[in-house]
Amino acid sequence: MRTHPTNSHHPTNPHHPRRPATTSATLLTTTAATLVTLVTLTTTASAASAPPPPTTTHPPQHPTTPTKPTATSAIRPCPESALKITASAVTSQRPDVLRISANNRSVTPCVIDRIPTVTFGDLDGAAQPDPPAESAPYRLAPGATAYATVRTVTGEPSPSTRTVGFITVAADPAHQGRRFDAAALGAPNDIRVWSPTTTWWRPTAG
């Protein structure tokens, strides 16, 4: 009896197709695609969970309106040398009521204080404005004259009423003023002084 040689390898089954071999290139491609997908998912998740950037709020900008100087504030103060100051009693029977004036002798407008400065001899203080007011500019055109009325005695005279031999009138507190003796004002026995007042400067003598 003839003996057939034994084959240690299994014969190929024709009914089962052979499985294709997986190459290194295919594995690398698949791995790279998987990594790209993971990176994309991670980036998207990080972007979704990150807080929004802070919003800077700027306060509304309001336009600045420049301050327009008034016509009076743009005019220079009157030099004392440009002014002519006068004073006289309203009547000879009332030497305690005086009319004063300030005339602008220059060719340009200028300003004085709206309250005249009237002092009495060597006494402290000055006539108080009537009605009461604060200092403010008063415009004098070239050649224009401002007028005011001074009362050296107001109310009932008191035993404390003083007498002075002269008064000084100035159109501005910064000026030295002009002196007027009592005799020139119709008061040969000096000028009585008690709570004196002055009106504001005005454009007419009345």
Side-chain angles (χ1 to χ4, degrees):
M1 179 171 47
R2 181 178 292 179
T3 302
H4 297 281
T6 302
N7 188 357
S8 62
H9 299 283
H10 297 288
T12 299
N13 189 347
H15 300 289
H16 295 280
R18 179 176 297 185
R19 180 176 300 171
T22 301
T23 64
S24 298
T26 302
L27 290 176
L28 289 175
T29 301
T30 303
T31 303
T34 303
L35 290 175
V36 170
T37 302
L38 290 175
V39 170
T40 303
L41 291 175
T42 302
T43 304
T44 304
S46 299
S49 61
T55 302
T56 303
T57 302
H58 297 281
Q61 298 295 323
H62 300 286
T64 302
T65 302
T67 302
K68 182 178 180 181
T70 61
T72 302
S73 64
I75 301 176
R76 67 185 178 92
C78 294
E80 188 168 9
S81 60
L83 299 174
K84 179 182 179 181
I85 305 296
T86 65
S88 61
V90 174
T91 65
S92 57
Q93 292 77 23
R94 296 291 306 275
D96 55 349
V97 180
L98 309 175
R99 179 176 292 120
I100 61 175
S101 68
N103 172 258
N104 180 10
R105 298 183 295 182
S106 71
V107 295
T108 58
C110 58
V111 295
I112 57 178
D113 197 289
R114 69 176 175 180
I115 302 171
T117 301
V118 184
T119 58
F120 302 89
D122 296 326
L123 301 179
D124 293 333
Q128 296 300 300
D130 183 22
E134 299 294 331
S135 177
Y138 181 91
R139 182 181 184 277
L140 274 179
T145 302
Y147 301 88
T149 300
V150 176
R151 287 176 169 80
T152 65
V153 176
T154 60
E156 291 295 328
S158 165
S160 300
T161 298
R162 306 289 297 274
T163 59
V164 297
F166 65 93
I167 69 169
T168 303
V169 179
D172 192 277
H175 296 172
Q176 288 186 344
R178 180 181 175 187
R179 171 174 167 161
F180 298 90
D181 292 332
L185 298 173
N189 296 321
D190 291 341
I191 301 169
R192 298 186 306 158
V193 181
W194 176 253
S195 299
T197 63
T198 177
T199 64
W200 304 0
W201 290 118
R202 58 181 181 269
T204 59

